[in-house]
Short mmCIF file of all heavy atoms in Angstrom, two decimals:
data_model
loop_
_atom_site.label_atom_id
_atom_site.label_comp_id
_atom_site.label_asym_id
_atom_site.label_seq_id
_atom_site.Cartn_x
_atom_site.Cartn_y
_atom_site.Cartn_z
N ILE A 1409 80.83 90.95 85.56
CA ILE A 1409 80.64 91.12 86.98
C ILE A 1409 81.58 92.06 87.40
O ILE A 1409 82.81 92.11 87.03
CB ILE A 1409 80.62 89.69 87.64
CG1 ILE A 1409 80.28 89.89 89.03
CG2 ILE A 1409 82.02 88.99 87.52
CD1 ILE A 1409 80.00 88.49 89.82
N SER A 1410 81.21 92.94 88.32
CA SER A 1410 82.08 93.80 88.98
C SER A 1410 82.34 93.53 90.39
O SER A 1410 81.62 92.75 91.03
CB SER A 1410 81.43 95.31 88.91
OG SER A 1410 81.26 95.76 87.63
N ASP A 1411 83.41 94.07 91.02
CA ASP A 1411 83.75 93.97 92.36
C ASP A 1411 83.81 92.43 92.78
O ASP A 1411 83.15 92.03 93.79
CB ASP A 1411 82.82 94.67 93.25
CG ASP A 1411 82.94 96.21 92.87
OD1 ASP A 1411 83.93 96.67 92.70
OD2 ASP A 1411 81.78 96.86 92.99
N VAL A 1412 84.44 91.54 91.98
CA VAL A 1412 84.63 90.20 92.28
C VAL A 1412 86.05 89.87 92.56
O VAL A 1412 86.99 90.42 92.12
CB VAL A 1412 84.02 89.29 91.11
CG1 VAL A 1412 84.86 89.40 89.91
CG2 VAL A 1412 83.82 87.81 91.46
N LYS A 1413 86.20 88.82 93.54
CA LYS A 1413 87.58 88.37 93.92
C LYS A 1413 87.92 87.28 93.14
O LYS A 1413 86.99 86.43 92.67
CB LYS A 1413 87.55 88.10 95.41
CG LYS A 1413 87.24 89.25 96.31
CD LYS A 1413 87.23 88.88 97.74
CE LYS A 1413 86.94 90.08 98.61
NZ LYS A 1413 86.77 89.72 99.99
N TRP A 1414 89.14 86.99 92.85
CA TRP A 1414 89.65 85.82 92.33
C TRP A 1414 89.39 84.64 93.13
O TRP A 1414 89.03 83.56 92.68
CB TRP A 1414 91.14 85.90 91.95
CG TRP A 1414 91.73 84.96 90.98
CD1 TRP A 1414 91.81 85.29 89.54
CD2 TRP A 1414 92.26 83.64 91.17
NE1 TRP A 1414 92.40 84.13 88.88
CE2 TRP A 1414 92.70 83.20 89.86
CE3 TRP A 1414 92.34 82.84 92.23
CZ2 TRP A 1414 93.15 81.95 89.69
CZ3 TRP A 1414 92.80 81.58 92.06
CH2 TRP A 1414 93.31 81.15 90.86
N SER A 1415 89.57 84.84 94.58
CA SER A 1415 89.49 83.62 95.37
C SER A 1415 89.14 84.12 96.68
O SER A 1415 89.47 85.16 97.15
CB SER A 1415 90.87 82.94 95.49
OG SER A 1415 90.75 81.89 96.30
N TYR A 1416 88.27 83.27 97.34
CA TYR A 1416 87.91 83.60 98.67
C TYR A 1416 89.10 83.39 99.60
O TYR A 1416 89.15 83.93 100.69
CB TYR A 1416 86.73 82.64 99.15
CG TYR A 1416 85.47 82.58 98.23
CD1 TYR A 1416 85.21 81.66 97.32
CD2 TYR A 1416 84.60 83.73 98.41
CE1 TYR A 1416 84.14 81.68 96.56
CE2 TYR A 1416 83.45 83.72 97.61
CZ TYR A 1416 83.17 82.79 96.74
OH TYR A 1416 82.01 82.77 96.01
N ASP A 1417 89.90 82.35 99.26
CA ASP A 1417 91.06 82.07 100.01
C ASP A 1417 92.24 82.49 99.23
O ASP A 1417 92.70 81.73 98.31
CB ASP A 1417 91.07 80.51 100.28
CG ASP A 1417 92.39 80.04 101.11
OD1 ASP A 1417 93.18 80.80 101.33
OD2 ASP A 1417 92.45 78.80 101.17
N ILE A 1418 92.95 83.63 99.55
CA ILE A 1418 94.02 84.14 98.74
C ILE A 1418 95.28 83.19 98.62
O ILE A 1418 96.05 83.41 97.83
CB ILE A 1418 94.35 85.50 99.17
CG1 ILE A 1418 94.95 85.64 100.60
CG2 ILE A 1418 93.18 86.50 99.02
CD1 ILE A 1418 95.58 86.95 100.82
N ASN A 1419 95.46 82.32 99.56
CA ASN A 1419 96.60 81.51 99.52
C ASN A 1419 96.33 80.18 98.74
O ASN A 1419 97.21 79.23 98.84
CB ASN A 1419 97.04 81.22 100.96
CG ASN A 1419 97.71 82.59 101.55
OD1 ASN A 1419 98.34 83.28 100.79
ND2 ASN A 1419 97.44 82.84 102.80
N TRP A 1420 95.18 79.87 98.32
CA TRP A 1420 94.77 78.77 97.54
C TRP A 1420 95.54 78.76 96.21
O TRP A 1420 95.46 79.65 95.49
CB TRP A 1420 93.32 78.65 97.40
CG TRP A 1420 92.92 77.67 96.35
CD1 TRP A 1420 93.11 76.29 96.36
CD2 TRP A 1420 92.31 78.05 95.19
NE1 TRP A 1420 92.53 75.76 95.25
CE2 TRP A 1420 92.06 76.81 94.52
CE3 TRP A 1420 91.82 79.19 94.53
CZ2 TRP A 1420 91.34 76.70 93.14
CZ3 TRP A 1420 91.26 79.13 93.27
CH2 TRP A 1420 91.00 77.84 92.71
N MET A 1421 96.18 77.64 95.92
CA MET A 1421 96.88 77.46 94.72
C MET A 1421 96.21 76.38 93.81
O MET A 1421 95.66 75.47 94.35
CB MET A 1421 98.33 76.98 94.86
CG MET A 1421 99.31 77.98 95.17
SD MET A 1421 99.60 79.14 93.80
CE MET A 1421 100.69 78.34 92.76
N SER A 1422 96.08 76.57 92.66
CA SER A 1422 95.34 75.61 91.79
C SER A 1422 96.33 75.48 90.51
O SER A 1422 97.25 76.24 90.31
CB SER A 1422 94.02 76.03 91.47
OG SER A 1422 94.08 77.18 90.68
#
Side-chain angles (χ1 to χ4, degrees):
I1409 189 169
S1410 297
D1411 300 323
V1412 68
K1413 297 176 182 179
W1414 197 93
S1415 178
Y1416 301 106
D1417 175 6
I1418 64 168
N1419 291 318
W1420 162 67
M1421 277 298 278
S1422 65

